[in-house]
């Protein structure tokens, strides 16, 4: 169903392992329009234009590729109300909420933005941690300003961002077959998965209307520029073929997509009344929604939830990549070393936020990246995951 775009933000902290809480899929009514917009199944950074000085010089001929890139940038990027230069080099464009790129989607041409949700899943806010003070959500570019009211921040995409992709049309896209199917895995077909490897926990067998987890955030090393490492939630509907619907959210390091090795966050959550998939960060920030009519199999509910990590192994020099997943440590190394998801929960058909009935685990090569589930009173359902990639156990 066309392209998917996801807002991304660079980690504002210097620490290497923070926690962030993500809620995806609460069924609600109302809410802000998407600060980021994901249609179905692929990743694409929200875009904006940066003119190329060489292409602007009078008399310089532009290649066909440059012309195509410029057309894409013109389509991606909307005229900002204000632009902010981040200390890390990003340009953040503050785009009026009614002019955001989401409305280029043909299904959203006459869409009326819903400004606030009317209710949350039961027990979402009843966790004994309520405070009267709203927790600040700080990003690095906030050092140089904030976006005005009724605008949304969008990282500006440059010509170089697009040119790093294998083709202009492939920029930022992710194939459905890269999504792991833990119920049907053939080890003999490992090399046919474009090098994508996973270490995940999953829930299936019910109808799901949302998912939530607290994620440990690190900055894994990525060996090759065409590889990435991420940790996220998957909300899935349909079969693991061309008809698969997915919404995905978490953090990732992707030099090819962003041109750097920073850890970037992005997130989300659906609505028993209206079916919209809402996106929330922490306790206080409802960031937007994906209208239910954009989806086929996710229009009502999801059939599988996945939490965990993914890394790309491009097999440089014919050996396994040294790209790390999670913190770069194996699951059995535990707290303070291994990366984790804790308090993993789902939203059921009664709009209750609760632990999944059953949690499975899956990895393609446990000698390279692995996962271990657990359960206790403080962390609820949790798991450690990750690994170093190439090592003595993963040649």
């Amino acid at each position: 169903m066309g392209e998917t775009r996801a807002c991304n933000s660079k980690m504002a902290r210097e620490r290497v392992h923070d926690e962030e809480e993500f809620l995806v899929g609460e069924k609600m009514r109302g809410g802000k329009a998407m600060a980021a917009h994901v249609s179905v199944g692929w990743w694409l950074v929200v875009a904006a234009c940066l003119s190329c000085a060489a292409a602007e010089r009078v008399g310089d001929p532009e290649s066909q590729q440059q012309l195509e890139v410029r057309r894409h940038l013109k389509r991606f990027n909307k005229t900002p109300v204000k632009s902010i230069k981040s200390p890390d080099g990003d340009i953040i464009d503050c785009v009026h909420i009614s002019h955001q790129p989401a409305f280029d989607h043909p299904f959203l041409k006459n869409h009326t933005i819903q400004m606030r949700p009317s209710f949350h899943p039961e027990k979402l806010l009843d966790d004994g941690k309520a405070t009267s003070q709203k927790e600040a959500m700080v990003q690095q570019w906030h050092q140089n300003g904030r976006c005005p009211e009724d605008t949304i921040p969008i990282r500006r995409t440059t010509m170089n961002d697009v040119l790093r992709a294998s083709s202009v049309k492939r920029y930022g896209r992710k194939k459905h077959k890269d999504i792991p199917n833990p119920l049907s895995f053939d080890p003999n077909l490992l090399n046919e998965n474009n090098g994508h490897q996973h270490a995940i926990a999953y829930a299936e067998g019910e109808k799901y209307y949302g998912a939530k987890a607290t994620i440990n955030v690190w900055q894994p090393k990525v060996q090759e520029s065409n590889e990435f490492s991420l940790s996220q939630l998957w909300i899935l509907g349909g079969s693991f073929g061309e008809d698969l619907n997915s919404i995905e959210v978490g953090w990732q390091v992707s030099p090819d997509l962003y041109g750097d090795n920073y850890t970037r966050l992005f997130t989300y959550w659906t609505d028993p009344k209206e079916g919209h998939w809402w996106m929330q960060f922490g306790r206080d920030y409802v960031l937007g929604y994906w209208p239910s009519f954009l989806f086929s199999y996710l229009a009502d509910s999801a059939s599988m939830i996945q939490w965990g990590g993914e890394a790309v192994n491009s097999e440089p020099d014919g050996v396994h990549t040294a790209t790390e997943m999670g913190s770069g440590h194996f699951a059995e190394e535990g707290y303070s070393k291994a990366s984790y998801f804790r308090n993993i929960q789902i939203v059921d058909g009664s709009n209750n936020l609760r632990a999944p009935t059953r949690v499975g685990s899956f990895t393609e090569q446990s000698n390279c990246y692995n996962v271990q589930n657990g359960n206790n009173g403080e962390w609820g359902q949790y798991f450690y995951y990750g690994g170093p990639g190439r090592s003595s156990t993963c040649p």
Side-chain angles (χ1 to χ4, degrees):
M1 181 188 286
E3 306 172 297
T4 297
R5 312 205 178 169
C7 180
N8 65 87
S9 61
K10 198 171 299 177
M11 290 295 296
R13 305 172 179 81
E14 296 294 330
R15 301 193 299 275
V16 295
H17 57 282
D18 285 314
E19 285 187 347
E20 301 296 349
E21 186 176 85
F22 297 99
L23 172 67
V24 182
E26 174 181 356
K27 288 239 179 181
M28 314 164 90
R29 286 182 292 186
K32 281 187 180 177
M34 306 177 275
H37 12 291
V38 175
S39 298
V40 180
W42 307 293
W43 297 80
L44 183 64
V45 61
V46 179
C49 178
L50 180 65
S51 61
C52 175
E56 291 291 338
R57 292 198 298 268
V58 177
D60 263 1
E62 291 185 312
S63 68
Q64 184 62 34
Q65 184 186 42
Q66 287 176 317
L67 288 172
E68 188 175 3
V69 170
R70 290 169 68 82
R71 283 196 294 268
H72 274 261
L73 291 175
K74 185 177 181 180
R75 179 168 59 88
F76 293 160
N77 305 323
K78 306 304 177 184
T79 302
V81 173
K82 175 183 179 180
S83 295
I84 300 169
K85 177 69 177 291
S86 175
D88 53 44
D90 283 350
I91 302 293
I92 304 300
D93 287 325
C94 304
V95 177
H96 192 275
I97 191 171
S98 62
H99 297 157
Q100 60 183 291
F103 292 111
D104 290 343
H105 194 293
F107 289 0
L108 294 174
K109 288 298 184 182
N110 299 310
H111 182 67
T112 301
I113 300 174
Q114 298 176 349
M115 297 308 295
R116 292 302 309 169
S118 58
F119 64 91
H120 293 72
E122 297 295 329
K123 300 184 180 179
L124 173 62
L125 302 179
D126 185 23
D127 58 7
K129 299 179 181 179
T131 61
S132 58
Q133 186 174 0
K134 188 175 183 179
E135 184 178 351
M137 182 171 63
V138 179
Q139 299 185 51
Q140 197 165 11
W141 58 271
H142 289 165
Q143 297 176 32
N144 293 333
R146 300 269 181 154
C147 283
E149 189 175 356
D150 295 327
T151 67
I152 58 172
I154 301 177
R155 174 188 177 269
R156 182 177 296 181
T157 297
T158 70
M159 180 172 283
N160 286 336
D161 287 335
V162 181
L163 290 175
R164 282 193 301 271
S166 58
S167 71
V168 175
K169 291 183 178 180
R170 287 298 313 157
Y171 170 64
R173 292 192 176 187
K174 184 176 180 181
K175 296 180 180 178
H176 281 164
K177 64 180 180 180
D178 297 335
I179 298 174
N181 182 359
L183 304 181
S184 178
F185 172 65
D186 184 350
N188 297 319
L189 299 179
L190 178 63
N191 294 330
E192 297 185 10
N193 198 30
N194 296 319
H196 289 247
Q197 295 185 307
H198 308 83
I200 65 168
Y202 66 92
E204 58 87 25
E206 303 178 61
K207 287 187 175 183
Y208 303 102
Y209 297 86
K212 177 177 177 284
T214 299
I215 304 178
N216 198 211
V217 180
W218 299 77
Q219 189 169 1
K221 295 178 182 178
V222 175
Q223 178 177 335
E224 303 293 325
S225 62
N226 64 338
E227 298 177 338
F228 65 76
S229 182
L230 62 77
S231 296
Q232 67 174 38
L233 290 78
W234 288 260
I235 305 293
L236 303 174
S239 65
F240 284 82
E242 294 303 318
D243 63 346
L244 183 67
N245 288 184
S246 79
I247 297 176
E248 307 171 29
V249 62
W251 59 261
Q252 68 173 337
V253 176
S254 178
D256 190 48
L257 187 58
Y258 305 118
D260 57 41
N261 288 283
Y262 292 109
T263 300
R264 296 173 181 266
L265 298 180
F266 54 102
T267 87
Y268 56 59
W269 91 56
T270 192
D271 189 320
K273 301 299 182 187
E274 305 215 352
H276 298 331
W277 290 92
W278 290 85
M279 174 178 177
Q280 179 171 327
F281 178 85
R283 290 180 51 84
D284 301 311
Y285 295 94
V286 178
L287 302 183
Y289 64 92
W290 294 269
S292 58
F293 52 77
L294 293 179
F295 305 100
S296 52
Y297 292 99
L298 285 177
D300 172 66
S301 61
S303 56
M304 180 179 286
I305 307 294
Q306 298 178 357
W307 304 261
E310 177 179 352
V312 172
N313 171 30
S314 63
E315 296 188 329
D317 302 319
V319 296
H320 197 287
T321 183
T323 288
E324 299 173 339
M325 182 189 295
S327 66
H329 290 267
F330 284 115
E332 58 268 23
E333 297 182 62
Y335 187 73
S336 81
K337 288 190 175 182
S339 190
Y340 61 79
F341 282 59
R342 65 179 179 86
N343 299 118
I344 62 174
Q345 295 175 293
I346 56 92
V347 180
D348 64 20
S350 299
N351 202 38
N352 289 314
L353 184 67
R354 60 171 175 82
T357 303
R358 294 178 301 276
V359 177
S361 62
F362 169 79
T363 183
E364 292 96 344
Q365 283 187 288
S366 59
N367 58 319
C368 301
Y369 312 108
N370 67 356
V371 58
Q372 288 187 356
N373 293 357
N375 194 337
N376 64 34
E378 183 178 359
W379 280 20
Q381 293 272 13
Y382 70 88
F383 63 92
Y384 289 101
Y385 71 99
R390 187 171 70 247
S391 66
S392 59
T393 64
C394 177

